[in-house]
Each structure stands twice: as structure tokens, then as C-alpha cells.
Amino acid sequence: MNNDICGIVFNQENLLLNLTNKVAGQTKVTKLILILLILISCFIIGIFVGYTGGVTSLQVFVGKKARLEYLSMILLVVAWVTTYIFGNLKKSFVTVIISLFTVIVIPGLLQKSGFLELQPLFFIASPVIIVFFLTVTIVNFFLLRFIIALTKLILTSSLLVVQYLSVFTIATGAMTGSLIAIAGEVQSPVSEFKDLLIPADVNIGLIFSGVLYALFLILSSWLTNSLRGLPWKHPDQLRSWALIIGSWRGTSFYGLDLSHVNFKNAKLPNSDLRARKLYRTCFQDAQGLEKARIDSRYMDLEIPKVQKLLTKPQDYSNDRDFSNLNLRGAFLQNAEMRQFNFTDSDLSGADMQSADLRGSIFLRTQVIGVDFTGADLTGICIEDWSVNSQTCFTNVECDFVYRRLDEDGELSDRFPINRNFEPREFESLYQEVENVIEIIFKEGENWQAALYSLIKLQTEDEKLELQLKGVEKRGDVWVVKVTYNQAYPKQQVEHSLNATVEEIKRQLVAKEQQIYQLEQEKREILGIVKEQAKAVGYQAKALKSFSRQKLGNSNNFFLSGSNITNLTGSGQIEYGEAAAQVRSIVANSADSGQATAVLENFLAKLQRESVATDVEMQAELVQQMILAEAQKDLILKQFLIQQEQQIVSAFPQGILSTAIQSAIAQLRDNRS
């Protein structure tokens, strides 16, 4: 089978999806033409450089009238080249301006002091000579840099001899240019060297000086490119122009949709890969991608570290900061990406099957439509990442995740606490489904209104099959997720649910105002009673009777004001906080993993605050809280009875699940 596709211009109709092991790029004829053009360019540049060097050498070593001007020019050229090599273009021109001022002012001061005698036109001729020859040097310097970059792009290791041939061609051109300069000056009727007989050894030295100047520029150009990483570093205008010439008449995929095309182990130098789309295009083990003409219209393919990640994903160990990048549709199967930073990056549609992502950071990362099948996600940070129903978590390996990145950039808020995920628990917890509606609540709003709305609509229209998927916190908002029967239009269900939520919100606000008024009245009554008790000497007894009441039928827990305390009084928790936790446990019962996580957090707090230190007491408190809240809230009571099986099955069998089941059973018996 012929793997050579050099020089082919593909269109969408004749594009092959499997280009494994193919050899793309330029044909041998095209490379020979480019090599010939490079050698011709080298010879022409050599002539200009040699001519400049020959004139300069003649003026410095033989001439007398303009020796100082040309010496100043040499100093400025060396200063400019040195500054540019180790600095940048701006600094080099600042150096030129300072040096030009210096080489003009200092001789003027020396002339004024009588230490130096200058030619009458020195202050005019010197700037003109310096600017002219410096311009010639700069132009040839950048042309040489371009040729060196182009040579590296189009040549393989087997043709490196052309680089040495290029140097020889430039030297030959420089020798020719020096001869032309010397001969022209000697024969010029207006030159001070007219009819001058130059000794052979001096003539050879002058020619050698021109060649030496050319070699100096070649070495400077090569060193500049090496320090700047050319032609591989991006962005750089020279690299862009070199890639344009370097892909001339090469294999072209320009403007095509290369989605799912397999370039595995293909050779791609000198190709045009400016594709319209690169969705899951495989570049693994491809060679020469850095020598191809590419752009970033679809993804940030021009960045060298992105190219390396796509071509060598199994052993990537360089820069791990991939934040603020466009990597959508990237093919990264089996990629080694431990502790990578994808903060604020776009990975939408990427293929990360079986990738090793342990400890990586997905802070505000777009992972919509990413295929994580079989990937290892243990220890990743998922703070504010964006997923959707197309994000696939099938068979992922994940022991735990972190839900926050602290101010010091350290991973925090491990989940789950004090245990690892069960097999497929992460998948069931974070895998989105298509038929889901999200209701957003701002901080401070009562998100439990969605729970009551759900019960109301379930009762009114059972065909909607509304189910609570879960509740999560995203930044400063609460997000309640509800699934529905896909036979109904999403817009219709969403409108009904949102309208009911707004209605329930208004009812809750009115209810809270009534509770507030009752509490105010209660405080006033308590104040009167306290004053009366104080007057008759029974203050202590009255306070005790009002501030310490049983929690339901419990003998171990009491209400003390707005706090729940145990029998010994060694610990307490605010009643409203405990009630919110219990309601959240019930609300998340549709998602076993989420409900268990909320329950574990609540029990951990009871343990930490010494309110309930053993499982039996914790079960008793949860049971009494469910009963107390259900008696106050008929909608919650109805929900508990209707969803009894779902709620009980959401938790592992044990004392706690038994207590929850017992509480619901009491509610059902009381109703009957």
C-alpha cells in the first residue's frame, strides 16, 4: 500500500478518515526547487554583505578621509547585533540612538579641545554612512534569519548538508561582493582610491574581511534563532513567513472538516493543516506537526505545548499549565495528564477516554460533551466546572474529588468525607441526564420552594413523572435539578414548574411573616411571665420550664430557646440549621450519593459539636427532627409518605435508615 500523499490537495469529497502512517508534505521536486531558490538567495545576500564589508575594510585599512566614520559604523553595527541577540528589537534601536549620539558628540568635543582634527563634512557624512550601512546590515540580518528558519523547516536530517552548502554559497557571494566593491572603488573617478595599486596581500585581507563580516552575520542570525526557539516558537512573524514558504505545494487540508480523521504515526511536515474543524482528530505519534502550517481558528493548535500534548500524550511531562486555552475537541485518549491545570479552559467535546487525570484542576473548566470513559479522575478539583448530559463518565475510576481551590491554590473540601466513592458512585452522582430542568435560586432565597412545587405538580399531574434529581451549590446560587417525562415539551414543563415555584415562594414569605409575628408575641408573653415570676420569687423555675422543653417524644434532646441540646447539656446545635439539614437530606433522596453525603456531613457536625456522639443518639435526633418538621409542614409530610420507598432506599441499611423509616411510618399511622 502506497503511504505517500505528498503534494495532494484534498477536498471534503476525497478526504480519507484513516491516514495512519501516511507521509504528507512536499514532493522531492518541490523541495529541490526550494533548495535552489535558497542557494540563489544566499548568493545574492552574500554579494550585498560582501560589498558592504569590502567597502568598509577598504575605508578602514587603506583610506584616510572617512576612516573614523566607518569605524563608528562598525561599532554601531556590533552594538545593535549584540543588543538584539540578547534583548529585543526595541532595546537594540535604543542602543543605536545612544551610540549614534555618542560617536558624534565625543569626536566633536575632542575636536573642540584640540585633541582631534575632523574632516569638514564629518557631522554630515558620519550619520549618513552609519544609517545606510546599518540599514543594509539589518535587512540582510533578518533575511539570513528567515533563510535559516526556512532551511530547518523544509530539510530532513538526511539533507543537512544543504545547510553547509548554504554557508559556502554565502561566503562565495561575500567574496564576489568584496571583489566588486574593491574594483569599483579603485576604478571610480570620484573615489580617493582612483588608480590605487593595492598590494596582493592587502587585497586578500580586504576580501577576507568581507567574508568574515558575512560569517559574523550568519553566526549572529543562527544564534538569534536558537535563543528564540525559531522556527518552532510561536508567535513570531519570521516563523509564520517560513511556514508559508515551507508548505508551498505541500499536502493541503486547508478549510476542511478533519473531524475523526486519524493521523496516528503520520509524517506531516510541510503540510497545510489550516482546517475548519479538528473535532477529535487524532495526532498521536504524528511527526512534524511543528513543521506544518496551522492556525488556531478551531483550537489553540499553534501553541507548541498543545502540539506536544496531542502528539505524545502517553509520556507528556513538560509544562502542565493548560489554563485559559481552547482545547475543544482535542483527541487525548490514554493521555498522561496528572496534576494538569485546566482552569478556565474549554475542553468541550474532547476525547479523554482512559486518560490519567489524577490531581488535575478543572476550575471553571468547560467539559461539556467530554468523553471521560475509563478515565482516572481521582483527586481532581471540580469547582464550578460545566458539564451536560453529553459529558460521559462511564466506568471512570474515582476515589474522591475536591470541590474547592483555596486562596493559596491548594485543593480543599474533599468529597466524600472520611471515605472513598463506591464503584460507579461518582458516575451516578455527576452524570447528567437529558430530561432535566434546572431552577436557580439566589443566595438567601428559599430553594425548598422547589420541593413543595414538585410535590404539588406530582399530585396534580402524575403523567409528568417529576422527580427530584438533586440540589447543589454553584458559587452564590443554589441549583435544584428536576427530571421529567420526555414525552412532554421541556419548555411547557419548565414554565409550569417555575410558575408554581413563584407561587410557593410567595406563600412561604407570607408564612414566614406569620411565624415572625407569632414569635414576637411569644417573646412579649415570655417577658411578662418572666417579670411575674421574678416578682413572686419563681424566676429560676419559670425560666427552666420555658427554656427547656422536650424535642418531640425524645428523653435525650431538649429545645432550649432556638437551640437543640442533649440531656447533659454538653453540646447544642441551632434548630433552624438542623431542620435545614434534615430537609436537604430528604430533598436529595432521589440521588443516593448526594443524600448520603448530606447525611454524613450532618452527622459529622453532630459528633463535632458533642450534640449526639453515638449512632443511636444520632438516629433518635434525625427521627425526632423529621417528625417535628413534618407536623409543622403538611406538604413535607405528604412528600415523606409518598416517597417513603425512595427515601429509605437512598441510605445504607442500619440504625439511621431504620430511624428514618420509623419516623415516616409514624406519620403514615397518624394520618390514617
Side-chain angles (χ1 to χ4, degrees), residues 8-16 252-254 256:
I8 297 177
V9 178
F10 285 95
N11 54 46
Q12 206 65 53
E13 288 71 30
N14 67 0
L15 178 65
L16 302 174
S252 176
F253 301 94
Y254 177 74
L256 302 184

Side-chain angles (χ1 to χ4, degrees), residues 260-301:
H260 301 289
V261 174
N262 187 1
F263 286 107
K264 188 176 180 64
N265 206 35
K267 295 180 179 179
L268 302 173
N270 314 123
S271 301
D272 191 341
L273 281 166
R274 293 175 296 160
R276 172 169 51 88
K277 194 173 183 180
L278 292 166
Y279 178 76
R280 297 188 179 179
T281 305
C282 177
F283 290 107
Q284 291 186 357
D285 297 318
Q287 304 173 38
L289 185 60
E290 73 281 358
K291 293 184 178 183
R293 189 180 180 188
I294 51 185
D295 58 26
S296 294
R297 77 173 83 176
Y298 185 78
M299 63 185 298
D300 290 336
L301 191 59

